Every structure is written in structure tokens, then in C-alpha cells.
Amino acid sequence: MRRRTFVKGVAVTSLLTLTATDAEARTRSKRINNRNILRGNEFFLDIDYTPVNITGKNAVATAINGQIPAPTLVWKEGETVTLHVTNHLKKTSSIHWHGIILPAGMDGVPGLSFDGIAPGETFTYTFKVRQHGTYWYHSHSGFQEQTGMYGAIIIQPKRKEPFAYDKDYVVLLSDWSDEKPETIYKKLKKMSHYYNFSRRTVGTFLDEVKEKGLANAFSDRKMWNQMRMNDRDLSDVTGYTYTFLMNGKNPATQFKALFNRGEKIRLRFVNASAMTFFDVRIPGLKMTVVAADGNHVKPLSIEEFRIGVAETYDVIVEPADHKAYAIFAQSIDRSGYAMGSFTPKTSMLAKAPAMDPKPVLTHTDMGMDMGQMDHGGGMKCGSGMMMSSKKDLEKDKYAKMESQRYPITQLPMKRGLQTTMKAVAPKYRLDDPGVGLRNNGRKVLTYADLKNRYSTRKAKKPDREIILHLTGNMERYMWSINGIKYADSKPLVFYYGERIRITFINDTMMNHPMHLHGMWSDLETGDDNHLVRKHTVIVQPGAKISYRVTVDARGAWAYHCHMLYHMAGMFRKVVVA
């Protein structure tokens, strides 16, 4: 089979109903330059089936106000917002306000927050906005997020921000398939590598022999085969079925962000995709990161960053030349890309740069400590295998994090058919940009680079710690936490007022973006004085990561991997008692 082409189509955001709020928003949009922006403190959102043509084929989306992406909502910190959401679908729906701190009953997760919005009914959300920054919203029902139910949220701050810019744009990334998501999931269950066309073949083996020699190439392949894994399993769902979008535009139709030379432009990146990690760069321009997941960080100049599903990053760029720059977001597996033009005029479009080579997973990604490996056994590392940087091998780099000791609450753990993978020596790899980005000659953002703009020196130390393993069976496409799928699990119990340290160990080969609803996750990056405040934390393959949560929100909350097709198993209910 060959990958279908996607450039024939025209991204269509059919507007079925034009509300008064829509019209008003379009005329009042000044500072934020994306179209379809709704401002104010009362909103009317309609969920309905919407005909689209994104790839050259007609399809039906589930869209909000008939738009993909849904309208950008602009709120003000300190105000109370009211959102009337009407469901015109034939099934229950919902909207979750991702990263927003609000009462549990307003969080929009059916079965936890409320019953969902039944067909034909309207649910009214209302809550006070207690933060500022860039966020997003999406359906939390079934696979509706995959079929178009997502949009950006911008919250304007009460106080002046500690950086300046002339104007800003939302850059919302997503993945679209003409296949029904139920079909995609069914195919993955039958054959987990259905969409992966980068698997090892006889041809790639011969290339490995040339590169490493016969013995090492054979040893490597034997090791991966024994583990029933493939070193090219980077994405479950790929560009074979996905068309990658930037603000609803495919690479042929291109999103365009206009600038005048010398302006400072804030780009608000949101990864609203269902299953795709993107590596983002603007060739010819450096980006200054000023916020992560809506929260200010110390400014950092970079050339590239990886944005996991559900994360947001705000960057400032200063174009010096009168030319079009490519806003280039290649998928982690290099099976495709989303792209827009950052340009002085709409008639001047950028050309796409070449995609980077397809990455190959290493032993580091499997959570193996190369210093402790038995090089006389079947896991000998091939001489040509791409290794991580020397930083990965520094044993004491995160010794302070490793040495922290808090009372550990033991949690149930099961091993068996559902847990065919295990990281034998997981390490903190905060300075590892991840597979495909190591040593690529560009300055790539890592979690180790992020520092809270404000001091966290006086933040309370954790009262206790829980350790959670992200587990799975790739071959059978089974996902779980501690070897227990959500349906068989008991809720995690947090206690109001405590500070809890959560450590994740990723026993799988996939990145997992873990999202705790209702409370902030203060990420440990090696500097306790500047813990980074996030709502979604990426746990790299074979690695571990820790963060701290102040339990300050009563109720029942969702806690899950944000990869849409992992979510059913890799999910927990959190009860704050």
C-alpha cells in the first residue's frame, strides 16, 4: 500500500450556523489575528455534524460552530465566563476545558464531572477564570476529538506580562483522517503496526550489516525480536491515514501569519492532535520560549521544540527579512508534516524544508542502562547504533532528584500478558530532546531548559510519593497503568491540602503525555527553586519523571494519557477526599 496524497484537497470549515456572537467576534478581532475568534464572558457553542473536504474526499466531522478548529475563545483573567453548549449530535457529547483550574462539576468529563450532554440538550458551564495564558478545549466523549472537536483558549492577564510583543497568532496543530476513528482503533487492535510503514525489512537489515557488521546487526535484530518490539515504532497512527493540519489548513492550503519587518510576534502553539507529536521549527528564525502550558517561563532562545499531544508553548519571534518563513511541524515519525507561512504578504508563501531522517529507537529509549548491560549476551549494542549524547550517561546528573525520599504509598501492580515491556533501568532524561532530535545541529528545547519565571523556593515539600508505571502490550495494543486497565482499577485517593510527589516510569516504547485534571503539575527539572508549572507532562519511552501536585481541588478528576487511542486503558479516576 502506498501513502495517499493529501495535497489535492482544500481545507473546508463549513459554517453551518452563523450566530450573532460569531459575527460580532469577527468584527471585533484586532489584536489576535486568527479568524473566528469569540471574545467576552458569555458564549454559545453548538456541536453538530459538519461536512468537510480536507483531503479531496468528502467527509463528515463533528465540529463546534461548524468550524475546524473550533472558534478561539478569548477570556479575561478574573472574570466569570458562561458557556452554553448545545449538542446536536445523535450521541452524548461534552467539552473539557484543558488546563483550566475550575470546579470539578465544570470540568466536562462524562462519568466523573457530569453525565455528559445528551442529544438535543444544552449544558451551561460557568466558572471564574483564575489564570492566564494559552490553553485549549476539546470533547471528552468517545473519539469526537479526532473528528474535529477542539479549539484554542486565550486568557488575557490582569497584569502586564513580563515580555513585549506587537501581535500574536494561535498556531493549532492537529491530525485528521477520513477514516472513522472507530475503524482506526479496530485496525490497531487487530494489527498494532497497521499504519507503520517504517518497519525493519530485509533491505534495512542489509543496510544495518553495511553499517554495523553482520554480527552486530544480527545481535541487534535478535534482541528486538526477542522483545517483540520494533525500533521504528514511533507512532501508532501515521501520515498513512493522517493529514496534518495547522489551524485547519493542510500543507497545500497553508495557514498564513502576517508580519511587518521588525515586529515581535507571539506564536501560541497548541497541539490539539489525537495521536501526533510534532517537532516544530521556523528555519531562519530563532524562537524565544516565554510560556509552557500557559505559564510563564524564563525566556530561552531555541531553534526547535517537540510539542506533545495536549501541550502548549508560547514563543516570540522577530523576523528581520522581508521574506516568507516556513512554520514547519514534522510528525515525530517523519511520515508527514503540518506547515504554514509566516510572511509579509499573503501572496508570498514559504517552501517546506526537507524532513529529517526517520528516527530509530535506541537502547536508551528502552530504559536500558548501557553501563550495566551484559555485553556478552544477546543485548550487545551494535557499533553503529545511534546513541544518546554523553549527557545521558552521566550517572549523577539528577542525583538530587534520585536521592529525594518521601513516604511512598504502595499501589496495586500486576504483571502478565498485558505488560510485555519493562524499563529495567529507567533514568531521568530531562535534558534529552528525544528520539530524532538528538545531536541534529539545532538548539532543541528540553524539559531541563525550562525554569519557572517565578521562584518556587518556598513551595511546600511533598508529604508523600506515589510511583506509577505506564504499561502495555504493543503487539495486542493494550495500555494500562501499573498493569491494570482503567475498567479494573480503583480510584487514586488524594487528600485535600497535601502535597504529593508523583513519579512515572514508562515501561513502554511510546511517549505518553500525562494529564491531571483540576490541579497543576509542578515539574521537577533539577532546580527546586524554579519548578515548571504544567498541565500535561511527557513521559519519554524507558524514562522516568517526577512532579509535585498541591491537592487543592475537591471532587473527582480524570488522570490519563492524552493519546486518544491509549486513553481507555491508561486512565485513572482521582478522588480528592
Side-chain angles (χ1 to χ4, degrees):
M1 289 184 287
R2 64 180 175 81
R3 183 180 181 272
R4 63 184 171 72
T5 57
F6 60 76
V7 295
K8 297 177 183 177
V10 177
V12 175
T13 52
S14 302
L15 197 63
L16 295 183
T17 56
L18 186 64
T19 67
T21 313
D22 290 306
E24 182 185 9
R26 288 184 176 186
T27 57
R28 294 175 58 187
S29 174
K30 292 181 180 177
R31 188 179 180 195
I32 299 169
N33 290 274
N34 297 76
R35 294 179 179 178
N36 305 322
I37 297 169
L38 305 182
R39 299 171 184 270
N41 50 31
E42 185 172 17
F43 301 85
F44 296 86
L45 302 177
D46 288 274
I47 303 167
D48 207 343
Y49 301 105
T50 302
V52 296
N53 187 330
I54 291 173
T55 66
K57 292 174 61 177
N58 293 327
V60 176
T62 48
I64 298 170
N65 286 12
Q67 300 172 200
I68 298 177
T72 295
L73 306 180
V74 181
W75 304 342
K76 288 184 179 178
E77 183 181 10
E79 291 191 350
T80 295
V81 294
T82 302
L83 305 109
H84 310 282
V85 181
T86 300
N87 178 17
H88 301 284
L89 304 179
K90 295 179 180 178
K91 56 181 70 174
T92 298
S93 189
S94 60
I95 292 181
H96 163 61
W97 317 100
H98 190 107
I100 304 300
I101 302 302
L102 39 60
M106 297 289 111
D107 196 41
V109 180
L112 294 184
S113 313
F114 69 153
D115 293 332
I117 309 173
E121 292 190 352
T122 297
F123 184 84
T124 297
Y125 300 81
T126 185
F127 48 87
K128 187 172 183 178
V129 179
R130 303 178 184 276
Q131 60 207 93
H132 57 80
T134 305
Y135 302 90
W136 66 297
Y137 63 107
H138 59 85
S139 172
H140 222 292
S141 297
F143 296 130
Q144 292 169 10
E145 181 189 327
Q146 173 76 91
T147 53
M149 284 186 60
Y150 47 78
I153 298 171
I154 295 173
I155 306 177
Q156 296 173 332
K158 275 184 178 178
R159 299 176 181 173
K160 185 178 179 181
E161 291 184 285
F163 46 83
Y165 56 95
D166 297 298
K167 56 187 175 186
D168 56 351
Y169 293 92
V170 167
V171 183
L172 187 145
L173 305 170
S174 61
D175 44 24
W176 168 268
S177 174
D178 288 332
E179 290 189 278
K180 292 181 178 179
E182 292 81 5
T183 302
I184 293 174
Y185 187 64
K186 189 176 180 181
K187 287 177 178 176
L188 290 171
K189 290 294 288 183
K190 286 183 176 178
M191 185 186 296
S192 62
H193 58 274
Y194 182 88
Y195 295 102
N196 182 0
F197 291 85
S198 299
R199 297 175 68 79
R200 284 178 157 181
T201 63
V202 172
T204 60
F205 179 68
L206 294 177
D207 291 339
E208 291 165 19
V209 170
K210 289 179 184 177
E211 183 181 359
K212 308 171 185 174
L214 178 62
N216 285 330
F218 182 79
S219 176
D220 279 352
R221 185 158 293 203
K222 180 182 177 183
M223 182 201 73
W224 287 99
N225 289 342
Q226 286 175 337
M227 294 188 294
R228 296 181 179 181
M229 297 178 185
N230 188 295
D231 62 0
R232 288 157 175 83
D233 272 339
L234 293 161
S235 296
D236 302 339
V237 191
T238 69
Y240 174 69
T241 189
Y242 276 155
T243 295
F244 302 113
L245 305 179
M246 185 174 289
N247 288 347
K249 301 287 189 181
N250 65 36
T253 55
Q254 282 203 24
F255 161 68
K256 302 168 193 70
L258 296 177
F259 69 83
N260 295 313
R261 187 162 49 182
E263 283 184 327
K264 287 186 176 181
I265 310 293
R266 179 179 186 171
L267 300 176
R268 301 172 181 267
F269 285 92
V270 178
N271 187 349
S273 62
M275 291 291 287
T276 306
F277 277 50
F278 290 99
D279 295 333
V280 180
R281 56 191 163 103
I282 305 176
L285 282 182
K286 290 190 175 181
M287 300 178 279
T288 301
V289 182
V290 295
D293 287 1
N295 294 288
H296 293 161
V297 296
K298 290 190 173 183
L300 178 72
S301 178
I302 60 162
E303 295 170 293
E304 187 167 21
F305 64 91
R306 173 164 290 170
I307 184 167
V309 174
E311 287 189 306
T312 75
Y313 283 107
D314 289 33
V315 306
I316 291 177
V317 293
E318 299 180 58
D321 298 324
H322 185 77
K323 70 173 200 176
Y325 299 87
I327 306 173
F328 189 66
Q330 56 185 340
S331 64
I332 188 173
D333 66 331
R334 311 300 185 240
S335 63
Y337 58 85
M339 180 184 155
S341 280
F342 188 49
T343 177
K345 53 185 180 180
T346 55
S347 60
M348 188 184 292
L349 299 181
K351 293 183 178 178
M355 282 200 292
D356 290 336
K358 291 183 181 296
V360 177
L361 292 165
T362 69
H363 293 82
T364 298
D365 298 301
M366 288 305 304
M368 296 176 181
D369 185 335
M370 301 305 295
Q372 296 177 2
M373 283 180 61
D374 177 6
H375 284 253
M379 294 171 65
K380 185 177 181 180
C381 178
S383 59
M385 180 168 286
M386 186 176 69
M387 295 296 298
S388 300
S389 68
K390 291 180 179 178
K391 293 178 181 178
D392 295 322
L393 302 179
E394 295 177 12
K395 293 182 178 297
D396 59 349
K397 191 170 187 67
Y398 296 107
K400 188 175 179 182
M401 290 170 59
E402 294 278 8
S403 65
Q404 293 187 37
R405 294 289 182 270
Y406 305 102
I408 294 178
T409 301
Q410 298 295 331
L411 299 172
M413 180 80 196
K414 290 184 178 179
R415 293 284 181 186
L417 179 65
Q418 75 282 12
T419 58
T420 53
M421 299 166 280
K422 184 177 181 180
V424 294
K427 299 289 186 184
Y428 291 110
R429 300 210 313 265
L430 294 151
D431 59 347
D432 178 3
V435 63
L437 293 179
R438 298 165 187 144
N439 307 316
N440 68 2
R442 300 186 285 266
K443 169 58 181 173
V444 182
L445 179 72
T446 69
Y447 274 176
D449 296 324
L450 291 173
K451 292 183 182 295
N452 196 319
R453 180 112 189 183
Y454 311 103
S455 174
T456 58
R457 185 170 56 88
K458 295 182 179 179
K460 182 183 176 184
K461 297 294 182 186
D463 298 296
R464 64 184 176 114
E465 180 176 9
I466 61 172
I467 299 172
L468 298 168
H469 287 255
L470 302 175
T471 47
N473 178 329
M474 299 265 300
E475 197 170 30
R476 299 197 178 194
Y477 208 72
M478 301 166 68
W479 303 103
S480 55
I481 296 175
N482 280 7
I484 303 168
K485 63 183 180 182
Y486 175 53
D488 298 332
S489 70
K490 293 182 178 179
L492 295 172
V493 179
F494 294 178
Y495 298 99
Y496 187 84
E498 71 172 342
R499 178 92 158 157
I500 188 168
R501 187 192 202 210
I502 299 171
T503 294
F504 275 110
I505 295 174
N506 187 351
D507 285 333
T508 80
M509 294 170 59
M510 310 298 293
N511 284 284
H512 297 289
M514 300 306 297
H515 172 44
L516 173 62
H517 291 221
M519 291 162 274
W520 289 114
S521 301
D522 296 331
L523 177 65
E524 296 180 12
T525 61
D527 181 358
D528 282 4
N529 292 330
H530 294 279
L531 298 170
V532 182
R533 178 150 284 189
K534 293 182 95 298
H535 52 61
T536 305
V537 176
I538 308 306
V539 191
Q540 292 187 328
K544 68 177 178 180
I545 204 162
S546 297
Y547 52 87
R548 304 170 187 182
V549 175
T550 296
V551 182
D552 55 4
R554 297 186 189 277
W557 302 97
Y559 196 7
H560 59 87
C561 174
H562 221 283
M563 303 292 271
L564 190 62
Y565 302 113
H566 297 180
M567 201 181 300
M570 206 171 267
F571 190 109
R572 283 293 182 274
K573 176 181 179 180
V574 169
V575 174
V576 176

